[in-house]
Protein backbone atom coordinates (compact mmCIF):
# COMPACT_ATOMS: atom_id res chain seq x y z
CA UNK A 1 0.00 0.00 0.00
CA UNK A 2 1.34 3.46 -0.97
CA UNK A 3 0.19 6.62 0.80
CA UNK A 4 0.83 10.30 0.16
CA UNK A 5 1.07 12.92 2.94
CA UNK A 6 0.52 16.50 1.79
CA UNK A 7 1.07 19.57 3.95
CA UNK A 8 -0.02 23.04 2.85
CA UNK A 9 1.18 26.61 3.26
CA UNK A 10 3.30 27.72 6.22
CA UNK A 11 3.41 24.29 7.85
CA UNK A 12 7.19 24.34 7.31
CA UNK A 13 7.15 26.94 10.13
CA UNK A 14 6.03 24.33 12.67
CA UNK A 15 8.22 24.36 15.74
CA UNK A 16 9.39 27.93 15.20
CA UNK A 17 6.27 30.02 16.05
CA UNK A 18 2.83 29.85 17.66
CA UNK A 19 3.58 26.87 19.95
CA UNK A 20 0.38 27.59 21.88
CA UNK A 21 -1.68 26.64 18.82
CA UNK A 22 0.54 24.20 16.93
CA UNK A 23 2.88 22.75 19.58
CA UNK A 24 6.66 22.57 19.48
CA UNK A 25 7.15 19.79 16.94
CA UNK A 26 8.56 20.39 13.46
CA UNK A 27 7.26 19.36 10.05
CA UNK A 28 10.09 16.81 9.91
CA UNK A 29 8.83 15.32 13.21
CA UNK A 30 5.28 15.05 11.81
CA UNK A 31 6.50 13.46 8.57
CA UNK A 32 8.73 10.99 10.48
CA UNK A 33 5.83 9.95 12.75
CA UNK A 34 3.52 9.49 9.77
CA UNK A 35 6.17 7.45 7.92
CA UNK A 36 6.88 5.26 10.98
CA UNK A 37 3.17 4.65 11.48
CA UNK A 38 2.74 3.68 7.83
CA UNK A 39 5.76 1.33 8.00
CA UNK A 40 4.40 -0.33 11.17
CA UNK A 41 1.20 -1.03 9.23
CA UNK A 42 3.05 -2.35 6.18
CA UNK A 43 2.51 0.78 4.05
CA UNK A 44 4.89 3.17 2.32
CA UNK A 45 4.44 6.94 2.68
CA UNK A 46 5.73 9.81 0.55
CA UNK A 47 5.68 13.35 1.97
CA UNK A 48 5.35 16.72 0.24
CA UNK A 49 4.86 20.26 1.57
CA UNK A 50 4.22 23.37 -0.45
CA UNK A 51 3.13 26.94 0.09
CA UNK A 52 1.89 27.01 -3.52
CA UNK A 53 -1.72 26.02 -4.17
CA UNK A 54 -1.03 24.87 -7.74
CA UNK A 55 1.78 22.56 -6.62
CA UNK A 56 -0.57 20.83 -4.16
CA UNK A 57 -3.24 20.58 -6.86
CA UNK A 58 -0.69 19.01 -9.23
CA UNK A 59 0.45 16.49 -6.61
CA UNK A 60 -3.14 15.41 -5.99
CA UNK A 61 -3.72 15.23 -9.74
CA UNK A 62 -0.69 12.97 -10.23
CA UNK A 63 -1.63 10.68 -7.31
CA UNK A 64 -4.22 8.58 -9.14
CA UNK A 65 -2.84 5.16 -10.06
CA UNK A 66 0.29 5.75 -7.95
CA UNK A 67 -1.09 5.99 -4.41
CA UNK A 68 -3.85 4.14 -2.57
CA UNK A 69 -4.80 7.12 -0.39
CA UNK A 70 -3.91 10.62 0.75
CA UNK A 71 -3.55 12.34 4.12
CA UNK A 72 -3.77 16.08 3.58
CA UNK A 73 -3.40 19.06 5.87
CA UNK A 74 -4.38 21.76 3.36
CA UNK A 75 -3.70 24.46 6.01
CA UNK A 76 -5.23 27.82 4.95
CA UNK A 77 -6.29 26.39 1.57
CA UNK A 78 -8.83 24.30 3.52
CA UNK A 79 -10.92 27.43 3.85
CA UNK A 80 -10.42 28.88 0.36
CA UNK A 81 -9.51 26.38 -2.33
CA UNK A 82 -12.07 25.22 -4.86
CA UNK A 83 -9.10 24.03 -6.97
CA UNK A 84 -7.85 21.65 -4.28
CA UNK A 85 -11.38 20.39 -3.63
CA UNK A 86 -11.88 19.69 -7.34
CA UNK A 87 -8.50 17.91 -7.54
CA UNK A 88 -9.36 15.69 -4.56
CA UNK A 89 -12.75 14.86 -6.03
CA UNK A 90 -11.21 14.02 -9.43
CA UNK A 91 -8.46 11.85 -7.90
CA UNK A 92 -11.04 9.29 -6.78
CA UNK A 93 -8.73 8.21 -3.96
CA UNK A 94 -9.67 8.07 -0.27
CA UNK A 95 -8.32 11.18 1.43
CA UNK A 96 -8.24 12.13 5.10
CA UNK A 97 -8.28 15.84 5.92
CA UNK A 98 -6.04 16.52 8.92
CA UNK A 99 -5.60 19.58 11.14
CA UNK A 100 -3.23 20.02 14.04
CA UNK A 101 -5.53 22.45 15.86
CA UNK A 102 -9.28 22.18 16.45
CA UNK A 103 -10.36 24.74 13.86
CA UNK A 104 -13.86 24.92 15.41
CA UNK A 105 -12.38 26.51 18.54
CA UNK A 106 -10.83 29.25 16.41
CA UNK A 107 -12.00 32.10 14.14
CA UNK A 108 -15.30 31.62 12.26
CA UNK A 109 -13.55 31.61 8.84
CA UNK A 110 -11.73 28.41 9.92
CA UNK A 111 -15.03 26.62 10.60
CA UNK A 112 -15.66 26.13 6.88
CA UNK A 113 -13.78 23.49 4.92
CA UNK A 114 -13.97 23.39 1.12
CA UNK A 115 -12.08 20.10 1.08
CA UNK A 116 -13.77 18.02 3.83
CA UNK A 117 -16.86 17.10 1.73
CA UNK A 118 -14.64 15.30 -0.81
CA UNK A 119 -12.61 13.45 1.85
CA UNK A 120 -13.60 10.17 3.51
CA UNK A 121 -12.75 11.51 6.97
CA UNK A 122 -11.59 14.58 8.85
CA UNK A 123 -9.38 14.57 11.97
CA UNK A 124 -8.43 17.62 14.03
CA UNK A 125 -7.18 18.85 17.36
CA UNK A 126 -4.74 16.04 18.21
CA UNK A 127 -1.54 17.96 17.49
CA UNK A 128 1.41 15.83 16.39
CA UNK A 129 -0.46 12.61 17.30
CA UNK A 130 -2.96 13.40 14.55
CA UNK A 131 -0.32 12.52 11.95
CA UNK A 132 -0.18 8.95 13.34
CA UNK A 133 -3.94 8.69 13.83
CA UNK A 134 -4.72 9.91 10.31
CA UNK A 135 -2.37 7.36 8.72
CA UNK A 136 -3.76 4.58 10.90
CA UNK A 137 -7.33 5.55 10.07
CA UNK A 138 -6.63 5.84 6.36
CA UNK A 139 -5.00 2.38 6.25
CA UNK A 140 -8.05 0.90 8.02
CA UNK A 141 -10.44 2.66 5.63
CA UNK A 142 -8.51 1.44 2.56
CA UNK A 143 -8.41 -2.11 3.94
CA UNK A 144 -12.17 -1.84 4.44
CA UNK A 145 -12.61 -0.86 0.80
CA UNK A 146 -13.01 2.93 1.14
CA UNK A 147 -12.91 4.97 -2.03
O1 LIG B 1 -4.56 23.31 12.48
C1 LIG B 1 -4.13 23.11 11.34
O2 LIG B 1 -3.47 22.13 11.03
C2 LIG B 1 -4.35 24.17 10.25
O3 LIG B 1 -4.53 23.48 9.01
C3 LIG B 1 -3.11 25.04 10.21
C4 LIG B 1 -3.22 26.21 9.24
C5 LIG B 1 -4.51 27.00 9.46
O4 LIG B 1 -4.64 27.99 8.45
C6 LIG B 1 -5.73 26.10 9.46
O5 LIG B 1 -6.88 26.89 9.75
C7 LIG B 1 -5.60 25.00 10.50
C8 LIG B 1 -2.04 27.16 9.39
C9 LIG B 1 -0.70 26.53 9.20
C10 LIG B 1 0.35 27.51 9.57
O6 LIG B 1 1.32 26.85 10.34
C11 LIG B 1 2.11 27.59 11.17
C12 LIG B 1 2.93 26.87 11.99
C13 LIG B 1 3.75 27.52 12.87
C14 LIG B 1 3.75 28.88 12.90
C15 LIG B 1 2.94 29.61 12.06
C16 LIG B 1 2.12 28.96 11.18
Amino acid sequence: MKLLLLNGPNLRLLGTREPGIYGRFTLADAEALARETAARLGAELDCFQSDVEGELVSKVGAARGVYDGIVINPAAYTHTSVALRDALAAAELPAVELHISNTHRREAFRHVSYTAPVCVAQLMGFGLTGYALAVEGLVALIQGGAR
Side-chain angles (χ1 to χ4, degrees):
M1 186 186 298
K2 272 198 89 171
L3 307 177
L4 177 63
L5 171 64
L6 295 176
N7 279 290
N10 298 312
L11 285 165
R12 67 196 153 71
L13 298 175
L14 285 170
T16 66
R17 273 166 250 177
E18 305 207 51
I21 299 176
Y22 299 117
R24 295 192 181 279
F25 65 91
T26 64
L27 180 63
D29 294 334
E31 290 178 341
L33 177 61
R35 209 175 265 122
E36 281 161 28
T37 305
R40 179 168 56 76
L41 298 169
E44 239 182 90
L45 180 103
D46 291 339
C47 301
F48 180 75
Q49 185 276 332
S50 180
D51 293 338
V52 179
E53 183 176 12
E55 288 185 1
L56 294 164
V57 168
S58 295
K59 277 283 175 189
V60 171
R64 199 173 169 182
V66 177
Y67 296 98
D68 300 295
I70 299 172
V71 173
I72 182 165
N73 183 343
Y77 294 140
T78 307
H79 320 298
T80 63
S81 182
V82 176
L84 205 46
R85 177 195 174 120
D86 288 348
L88 286 164
E92 291 183 332
L93 287 173
V96 173
E97 180 180 307
L98 171 65
H99 297 286
I100 297 160
S101 64
N102 178 354
T103 60
H104 295 290
R105 295 182 76 179
R106 303 180 63 193
E107 304 94 323
F109 68 84
R110 295 186 204 275
H111 300 178
V112 174
S113 171
Y114 280 52
T115 42
V118 294
C119 291
V120 281
Q122 189 190 39
L123 184 78
M124 61 167 73
F126 289 98
L128 174 63
T129 307
Y131 281 83
L133 298 175
V135 168
E136 193 158 350
L138 179 59
V139 169
L141 286 170
I142 293 167
Q143 285 170 343
R147 286 181 50 85

